[in-house]
Amino acid sequence: MATKLLALCIRNESRGDLSPRPHYPSMPKFPKGVAAEETSLAAGAEAKALFSVMGMTCSACAGSVEKAIKRLPGIREAVVDVLNNRAQVMFFPNYVNAETIRETIEDVGFQATLIYDEGNEKSILICRIRIKGMTCTSCSTTVESALQAIDGVQKAQVALATKEADVHYDPKIVSYNQLLQTIEDTGFEGILITAGEHMSRIELEVDGVRTDRSMRILEQSLQALPGVQSVDFDSEIKKISLYYKSYMTGPRSFIHVIETTGSRCFKARIFPGGEAGRDSHRKEEIKQYFRVFLWSLVFTIPVFLTSMVFMYIPGIKHGLETKIVNNLMIGELMRWILATPVQFIIGQRFYTGAYKSLRHGSANMDVLIALGTNAAYFYSVYSVVRAATSPDFMGTDFFETSVILISFILLGKYLEVLTKGKTSDAIAKLMDLAPETAALLTLDEEGNVINEQEIDSRLIQKNDILKIIPGAKVASDGYVTWGQSHVNESMITGRSTTSTLNENGVLHIKATRVGSESSLSQIVRLVESAQMAKAPVQKFADRISKYFVPLVILLSFLTWLSWFLAGKYHSYPESWIPSSMDSFELSLQFGISVMVIACPCALGLATPTAVMVGTGVGAFQGVLIKGGQALESAHKVNCIVFDKTGTLTIGKPVVVNTRLMKNMVLQEFYELVAAAEVNSEHPLAKAIVEYAKKFREDEENPAWPGAKHFESITGHGVKAIVRNKEIIVGNKSLIVEHSIAVPIDAEEILAEAEGLAQTGILIAMDGQVAGVLSISDPLKPSAREVISILKSMKVRSIMVTGDNWGTANSIAKEVGIQTVIAEAKPDQKAEKVKDLQSSGYTVAMVGDGINDSPALVAADVGMAIGAGTDIAIEAADIVLVKSNLEDVITAIHLSRKTFTRIRLNYIWALGYNVLGIPIAAGALFPPTGFRLPPWIAGAAMAASSVSVVCCSLLLKNYKKPKVLDNLEVRGISIE
C-alpha cells in the first residue's frame, strides 16, 4: 500500500524492472592502460543514472545507444529500454559523469534527458536551518547571498516568513557546520533542523547520565549502529538528537542500546515536544516577544504618565516641575532614568540587528528604528544635561518618544510573530493527522500473535507488524498481511497510507515506510519546500528592499533639514510651533516620524505569507503546489492541454468486444496475443493481458508462450514471433505499414468502436488480419462539467492523445472539447504546448504518464494526476493527489485567489509608505495643523506588517467554487 505519489526521484532498485531486450558485447569499461584490478580500488563507489531517450523505434536503435554508452570509459553496465524510451547506466563518477553520457546518446542521434543521477543525488544534500534574528527582506537577502557565495553550495533559499533556510550543498566540499558559521558571521543565529534530505531525526531524553565518560560511551554505542549518521548530546537538558536512515534502524533500537549499555542504569524515552520543531520554536519566540513587551510597558507607562497625563494635574505637575539643579526638573530626571533601560537593554535587539546589517553593507528596519529612537533619546539627554548645567536654558525632552516607539514596535513584532505562526498551520495540521499510538504485534515463526503492545507511533520501525482496529488511523505506510477492511483514504492522498482511516474490520499491516520516508512526511516535506520557494513576484520586493532603507534615511534627513531651515529663516508663522517646542525640536519630530513610519517589512511579507497560506490550503484541498513559481504561473493559465488516458478517462481500459476474422479457438487467439503484449507496459497491452487471463482461470499468474524478436513501435503497437507465427498487435497504420490488407468487415468494426469512443486494435497473424478488439476506458465522473466550468472561466481546453483520431474525436465530443490532436508521440505533445505558448497562451498540461513528462516540463504549469507515474509527478509543478479532474479548477481558482491577495498586500504596503511618509514629513501640517508624533508613526509602522499578515490569513477561509459542490458524482462500474 505504500504510495508512490511523492517519490520525487525515480528509484529503480534493479535492472530487472525494465523490459527484456537484446544485449550486446560489453565494450571497455575503463581507460586504456588501467587494469580492472586497479580500477576496482580507484574507481570508487559506482553511481546510477536514468535517462529519457526519445526517438528510438526498434531494437536496433536501442543497440546503437547501448554500444555508444559502453564505449565510454568508466561504464559498468548500460541497459536500454526501447519500450519506455529509457536508458539506465551504472558508471564510476571518477571516470565519467552523467552529462557526458547524455551527450554521447545525443551524438548517436537521439534526444536524451537526464531523469535521475544517483551519483549527483548522493553528493548533494539538503540542509534545513532555522535562522533567528531576521526582521525584514534585507536580512533574508543578506543571509541568502552569504550562503550562495560558499564554495560547494548549489542553491540556497531563505524564507523570511518561516525564518528558515534550505541549502543544497556538497558535503565533500562544505560541511553544515560551515553553513551555520557563515550564518553566524552575517550576524544571525543558525540552528540545524536537518542535515540531509533522506534522514530521519529523533530526540530522546536520557536519565542516569552523570559523567562525561557515560556520555561518550552512549555516543559511541549509538554511533556504531548501522544507519546512524550523527549523534548530538545536550548534557544540560539530557537530550540526545540522532540522525538516521529509517530503513536501516529506528528509535526502539536506540532506546534498547541506551538501556542495555554499561550497568543498565540509563533510561530513555521520546523527548517531550521533540517532534514539535518549528512550532515549539515559534511558541518560544512568541513568549519571548510578549515577555520583552511587558517589561517595556513597566518603564514606558510611567514615562507616558509623567510627560502626557500628570502634566495636566495641578498638584502632581508642581511636584514634577520642581527644579533640582539649575533648570533640571524632577520629571525630566525620572523620565531619563526610566527611558534608559528601554533604550539600551530592552532595545538592544535593534542595535544588534542594525550593527550586523550595516557590517555587511546593507540596511534593514533595525537601522531605521535605532536611528529614530537614538535621535529622540540623545537629543533628550542633551536637553537634560544642558538644563542641569545652564541657568538660562529651558529645553524639552522627548524620552516618551523613544520608549513609546520601542514599546509599540515590540507589540507589533509580537502580533506579527503571532499571526505569522498561523500562516503555517497547514503543516501542524498535517502532522496532527498521524496517530499518537500504535498497536505493535509480536509474531512467532508460524505467524501467530504472541504479544500485543501499545507504543508511541514515533517508535515504529520498518517491517513492524501493526494492528489496526476499526475507527483507528493507519499509523504507517505498509501492506496488509492479514484481515479485510475498507480504508477511508480521503484524509490526505486518496490512497491507503499513513494517517488514513480504517473504517471496518481488523487489519494487520507490515510497515514499509516510516519516519521521513512515509507518505505523510513526504507530503509535509513538499509543503515545506513549497513554502520556502519564492514566487517571481517576490523579486519586486527584493529589489525595493535594497534601496528602501537608504532612501528613507535620506528623506528623513531632508525632512529635518527643510523644516529646520524653514524655521530658522522664518518661512512659516511662529504660531505653527507648539508651545512646548522650538523650531529645531519640531523639525526633529518630523524627521524621526519619517524614519519610523517607513516599513520595509510589510513589503517583504506581502508575497511569502500569502504563498504559505495558499500552499497549505491547497494541500488540504488535495492540490500539492510545488512553490511560489507554480502558484504564480497557475493564476495566468488560459489554456489547458489534457491527456486522454488516465486523465480524462479513469485510466483502466478493459476489453469490451472481440471479433475474430478467421476460424480459431478464442483461447488460442488470446494466448498468442497475450504472449506478444505481456512485454509491453502500455495500458492497452495490460488490459488485453488481463482479459486473456479469463481463459486461464485455473492459474493466478499464467505463463504465456515465449515471444521471440519482440519489438515495440512507439505510438503504434508491438510485434513478435510466437509459436512460429508473426503476431502484430496495434492500430490500423501499423498493419498498413506492414503491407497487410485490412478487410472491409474489420474497417466497419473499427469505425463502430471509434464511434462509441472505444479504441480499436487490429491483430494480424502471418500477414493476415485475425481479429479486432474493442477497448473502452470510461470517462471520469464530471469530466464534461469540468470542461464546461473551465470554459466559463475563459480557459480553453485542448486534448492531445496518442490514440487514434476516431476515438479521440468521440471522447472530445462527449466532454465538450473542440480542439483535438490525436496519434501524437511524446515529443509532439511537447511541441504542441510550445506552439500554444508562442501563440500567446499561458499553458497548463494535465497528464499522468511517462509519455506526458516532456509536455509537463514544457508547459508553464504541469499538473500531474496523483495516480500517475513517478516521472510525471516529478516533472509536474502541481500534483492532484486525489486524481479528481475537479482539482484542476481548484488549483487555478486557488492560485487566482492567492494572487489577488498578494496584489492587495502590495497595494497596502506600497500605499501605506507612499501616503504615510509625506504625512509623517508634515505635508498636512501647513493647511490643517495635523502632524504625526513619532510614537504614533511607530505604531502605524507596526500595524502595517500585522495587517499584511492578517490579509494573507484570510485565505484560510478559502472554499472551492460553489459550482463544484453541485457536480453530480457518478459511480463507475466495470464488468
Side-chain angles (χ1 to χ4, degrees):
M1 295 193 300
T3 182
K4 61 184 177 181
L5 172 62
L6 290 169
L8 298 180
C9 295
I10 305 303
R11 298 182 179 89
N12 288 320
E13 299 300 333
S14 68
R15 295 189 300 279
D17 292 341
L18 301 176
S19 304
R21 62 193 60 75
H23 290 273
Y24 300 87
S26 297
M27 298 295 172
K29 298 182 177 68
F30 309 105
K32 292 181 180 179
V34 180
E37 292 80 12
E38 296 174 20
T39 305
S40 63
L41 297 173
E46 66 181 45
K48 179 169 65 178
L50 186 66
F51 299 87
S52 169
V53 184
M54 293 300 177
M56 297 187 298
T57 57
C58 61
S59 298
C61 298
S64 62
V65 172
E66 196 168 306
K67 286 179 182 178
I69 295 172
K70 287 186 175 181
R71 287 193 183 99
L72 292 171
I75 299 296
R76 183 178 180 277
E77 183 61 277
V79 183
V80 180
D81 179 8
V82 70
L83 304 183
N84 296 311
N85 296 308
R86 286 192 285 179
Q88 183 172 281
V89 185
M90 308 291 289
F91 65 98
F92 293 96
N94 289 358
Y95 293 105
V96 67
N97 57 35
E99 180 60 22
T100 302
I101 298 171
R102 189 192 67 79
E103 290 174 354
T104 300
I105 297 172
E106 295 204 334
D107 289 341
V108 181
F110 302 97
Q111 183 181 349
T113 305
L114 179 64
I115 297 173
Y116 172 59
D117 179 3
E118 185 184 67
N120 186 54
E121 289 293 327
K122 283 181 178 177
S123 65
I124 299 297
L125 296 179
I126 300 178
C127 176
R128 177 162 284 156
I129 302 170
R130 183 174 295 114
I131 302 173
K132 288 185 175 182
M134 294 193 301
T135 57
C136 64
T137 310
S138 179
C139 301
S140 59
T141 303
T142 300
V143 177
E144 189 169 283
S145 300
L147 290 170
Q148 198 72 59
I150 301 173
D151 186 29
V153 171
Q154 189 182 74
K155 184 174 71 170
Q157 289 180 319
V158 178
L160 175 63
T162 60
K163 295 190 177 180
E164 290 181 6
D166 266 4
V167 186
H168 299 237
Y169 71 104
D170 187 342
K172 297 174 185 174
I173 301 174
V174 63
S175 69
Y176 63 78
N177 286 322
Q178 289 173 278
L179 301 178
L180 293 173
Q181 186 59 49
T182 300
I183 294 171
E184 296 281 348
D185 291 342
T186 58
F188 302 96
E189 182 184 353
I191 301 171
L192 183 68
I193 299 174
T194 176
E197 182 181 29
H198 301 299
M199 287 194 291
S200 295
R201 177 174 182 262
I202 188 113
E203 294 177 344
L204 301 176
E205 185 177 35
V206 183
D207 291 329
V209 180
R210 295 181 176 83
T211 64
D212 291 341
R213 183 174 176 273
S214 298
M215 182 180 70
R216 285 196 299 272
I217 291 173
L218 284 180
E219 285 185 1
Q220 291 169 1
S221 300
L222 291 168
Q223 195 73 60
L225 288 174
V228 173
Q229 300 297 299
S230 68
V231 180
D232 296 319
F233 193 91
D234 189 334
S235 56
E236 290 186 9
I237 54 176
K238 301 177 182 179
K239 181 178 74 173
I240 291 182
S241 300
L242 296 107
Y243 292 92
Y244 64 97
K245 295 179 179 178
S246 58
Y247 60 87
M248 297 179 69
T249 187
R252 287 207 316 283
S253 300
F254 305 148
I255 291 174
H256 176 73
V257 167
I258 292 170
E259 295 185 347
T260 56
T261 297
S263 57
R264 298 176 180 265
C265 61
F266 306 121
K267 293 294 180 182
R269 57 183 175 274
I270 297 287
F271 192 82
E275 295 295 316
R278 179 194 294 175
D279 189 51
S280 63
H281 167 74
R282 182 171 287 114
K283 287 179 180 177
E284 181 57 35
E285 188 179 24
I286 290 170
K287 287 180 182 177
Q288 184 182 10
Y289 269 114
F290 184 66
R291 189 164 52 244
V292 173
F293 169 65
L294 288 181
W295 272 111
S296 72
L297 284 184
V298 170
F299 298 96
T300 300
I301 290 174
V303 172
F304 174 78
L305 292 175
T306 57
S307 62
M308 297 187 178
V309 178
F310 293 161
M311 299 307 293
Y312 299 98
I313 302 176
I316 300 178
K317 178 182 178 182
H318 177 72
L320 293 174
E321 289 182 348
T322 302
K323 294 179 181 179
I324 305 173
V325 180
N326 290 327
N327 289 317
L328 175 62
M329 295 180 285
I330 290 178
E332 291 176 330
L333 184 60
M334 286 177 58
R335 288 192 287 273
W336 186 9
I337 294 171
L338 290 168
T340 301
V342 177
Q343 184 70 34
F344 297 108
I345 299 176
I346 295 173
Q348 182 185 6
R349 65 183 63 241
F350 304 120
Y351 287 101
T352 306
Y355 167 73
K356 292 174 179 177
S357 175
L358 292 172
R359 194 179 67 179
H360 292 91
S362 62
N364 61 8
M365 191 190 72
D366 291 332
V367 174
L368 297 179
I369 296 170
L371 284 174
T373 56
N374 276 336
Y377 178 83
F378 284 109
Y379 175 77
S380 300
V381 171
Y382 162 77
S383 178
V384 169
V385 172
R386 182 78 185 277
T389 57
S390 171
D392 303 320
F393 180 82
M394 290 292 294
T396 304
D397 68 272
F398 299 119
F399 288 119
E400 78 282 354
T401 296
S402 67
V403 296
I404 294 176
L405 186 56
I406 288 172
S407 295
F408 269 122
I409 289 169
L410 290 173
L411 174 61
K413 281 292 175 188
Y414 165 70
L415 294 174
E416 184 182 317
V417 172
L418 193 66
T419 50
K420 274 200 298 188
K422 297 182 184 298
T423 63
S424 57
D425 278 353
I427 292 175
K429 288 180 180 177
L430 282 172
M431 294 302 295
D432 287 343
L433 291 176
E436 293 184 359
T437 60
L440 176 67
L441 301 180
T442 305
L443 308 181
D444 60 19
E445 293 181 357
E446 297 179 356
N448 299 315
V449 178
I450 57 176
N451 185 41
E452 180 177 333
Q453 177 186 3
E454 186 176 70
I455 62 170
D456 190 308
S457 62
R458 292 171 292 181
L459 296 177
I460 296 173
Q461 297 184 187
K462 188 175 181 180
N463 296 326
D464 281 346
I465 304 298
L466 306 174
K467 177 182 176 181
I468 314 297
I469 62 175
K473 293 178 182 177
V474 179
S476 168
D477 290 9
Y479 61 84
V480 176
T481 60
W482 179 88
Q484 291 183 346
S485 183
H486 177 268
V487 176
N488 184 339
E489 306 160 332
S490 62
M491 297 175 74
I492 304 181
T493 64
R495 296 174 174 220
S496 302
T497 57
T498 313
S499 81
T500 51
L501 189 68
N502 181 25
E503 292 195 341
N504 49 43
V506 178
L507 295 176
H508 292 179
I509 69 166
K510 186 175 184 178
T512 56
R513 292 186 180 181
V514 297
S516 63
E517 291 186 337
S518 71
S519 301
L520 181 61
S521 294
Q522 292 181 37
I523 290 173
V524 169
R525 195 155 57 237
L526 179 59
V527 175
E528 286 179 333
S529 298
Q531 293 180 345
M532 290 291 300
K534 291 182 179 179
V537 72
Q538 176 68 25
K539 294 177 183 177
F540 170 71
D542 292 344
R543 283 195 299 269
I544 291 178
S545 69
K546 291 180 182 179
Y547 310 105
F548 187 88
V549 174
L551 181 62
V552 169
I553 293 173
L554 178 61
L555 288 174
S556 176
F557 174 76
L558 291 176
T559 299
W560 168 80
L561 185 62
S562 299
W563 280 100
F564 174 70
L565 292 176
K568 186 175 180 64
Y569 294 104
H570 307 290
S571 299
Y572 58 82
E574 288 190 12
S575 59
W576 287 10
I577 304 174
S579 59
S580 60
M581 301 182 191
D582 58 25
S583 62
F584 175 82
E585 292 168 346
L586 178 64
S587 62
L588 184 62
Q589 290 263 311
F590 282 128
I592 295 173
S593 293
V594 169
M595 195 170 293
V596 298
I597 199 171
C599 185
C601 290
L603 279 171
L605 294 170
T607 298
T609 52
V611 169
M612 283 183 69
V613 179
T615 52
V617 168
F620 273 92
Q621 296 288 348
V623 179
L624 293 183
I625 303 169
K626 298 181 182 179
Q629 171 80 56
L631 199 62
E632 180 168 348
S633 299
H635 93 282
K636 302 174 185 175
V637 167
N638 53 14
C639 179
I640 298 182
V641 177
F642 289 94
D643 175 46
K644 180 181 76 69
T645 305
T647 302
L648 291 172
T649 64
I650 64 171
K652 294 183 179 179
V654 291
V655 177
V656 293
N657 190 22
T658 307
R659 296 286 292 274
L660 298 181
M661 298 287 109
K662 58 188 300 185
N663 291 324
M664 63 186 304
V665 178
L666 192 60
Q667 181 175 348
E668 181 189 359
F669 170 81
Y670 267 107
E671 281 201 358
L672 296 174
V673 175
E677 289 282 37
V678 74
N679 293 316
S680 174
E681 290 293 318
H682 197 282
L684 297 182
K686 290 181 178 179
I688 293 172
V689 173
E690 197 62 35
Y691 188 77
K693 289 180 181 179
K694 293 184 177 181
F695 299 95
R696 302 277 290 273
E697 291 181 353
D698 56 323
E699 300 176 49
E700 186 176 343
N701 293 303
W704 306 106
K708 301 177 182 178
H709 307 297
F710 172 82
E711 184 179 341
S712 174
I713 300 93
T714 305
H716 294 282
V718 300
K719 66 178 182 177
I721 303 296
V722 182
R723 290 178 180 170
N724 297 321
K725 293 178 181 286
E726 184 188 46
I727 309 296
I728 301 176
V729 184
N731 55 23
K732 181 181 175 182
S733 62
L734 179 62
I735 302 299
V736 172
E737 280 179 13
H738 285 75
S739 303
I740 298 174
V742 180
I744 296 176
D745 289 350
E747 294 267 19
E748 291 175 352
I749 296 169
L750 286 176
E752 181 184 348
E754 291 172 1
L756 296 171
Q758 298 170 353
T759 301
I761 302 293
L762 291 170
I763 291 88
M765 297 182 182
D766 289 335
Q768 291 185 337
V769 174
V772 183
L773 306 182
S774 297
I775 298 179
S776 175
D777 187 4
L779 282 172
K780 284 185 175 176
S782 307
R784 182 179 180 84
E785 289 89 339
V786 167
I787 300 302
S788 175
I789 294 169
L790 286 172
K791 189 174 181 180
S792 68
M793 295 171 68
K794 297 182 180 179
V795 177
R796 181 185 178 191
S797 297
I798 295 173
M799 187 175 78
V800 179
T801 178
D803 212 337
N804 63 74
W805 280 99
T807 303
N809 283 324
S810 296
I811 291 287
K813 185 177 180 181
E814 191 171 344
V815 299
I817 293 178
Q818 296 178 346
T819 306
V820 180
I821 292 92
E823 299 179 7
K825 295 179 180 179
D827 55 334
Q828 292 172 330
K829 291 183 179 182
E831 285 301 319
K832 179 59 182 176
V833 168
K834 292 175 183 176
D835 289 344
L836 289 166
Q837 288 170 330
S838 62
S839 300
Y841 286 102
T842 300
V843 182
M845 171 71 193
V846 186
D848 71 321
I850 294 173
N851 60 340
D852 298 321
S853 298
L856 288 168
V857 173
D860 296 287
V861 181
M863 297 187 187
I865 299 296
T869 63
D870 292 339
I871 295 178
I873 291 170
E874 166 65 14
D877 302 298
I878 296 174
V879 182
L880 311 177
V881 293
K882 296 179 182 177
S883 301
N884 293 337
L885 273 182
E886 300 95 294
D887 288 339
V888 173
I889 297 170
T890 302
I892 295 174
H893 187 257
L894 175 60
S895 67
R896 289 180 178 180
K897 289 288 186 182
T898 302
F899 265 78
T900 298
R901 195 65 55 186
I902 289 173
R903 288 192 191 100
L904 288 174
N905 285 347
Y906 274 125
I907 289 170
W908 167 248
L910 286 171
Y912 162 81
N913 284 290
V914 169
L915 294 175
I917 291 175
I919 293 172
L924 298 179
F925 189 63
T928 65
F930 175 79
R931 67 181 180 88
L932 274 180
W935 62 274
I936 294 181
M941 181 270 286
S944 68
S945 296
V946 176
S947 61
V948 164
V949 178
C950 289
C951 184
S952 296
L953 282 173
L954 291 175
L955 273 173
K956 294 179 75 173
N957 299 322
Y958 170 82
K959 294 181 180 178
K960 290 183 178 182
K962 288 184 179 180
V963 68
L964 293 181
D965 297 333
N966 299 325
L967 290 182
E968 179 187 359
V969 180
R970 297 185 297 271
I972 296 178
S973 110
I974 302 172
E975 297 295 335

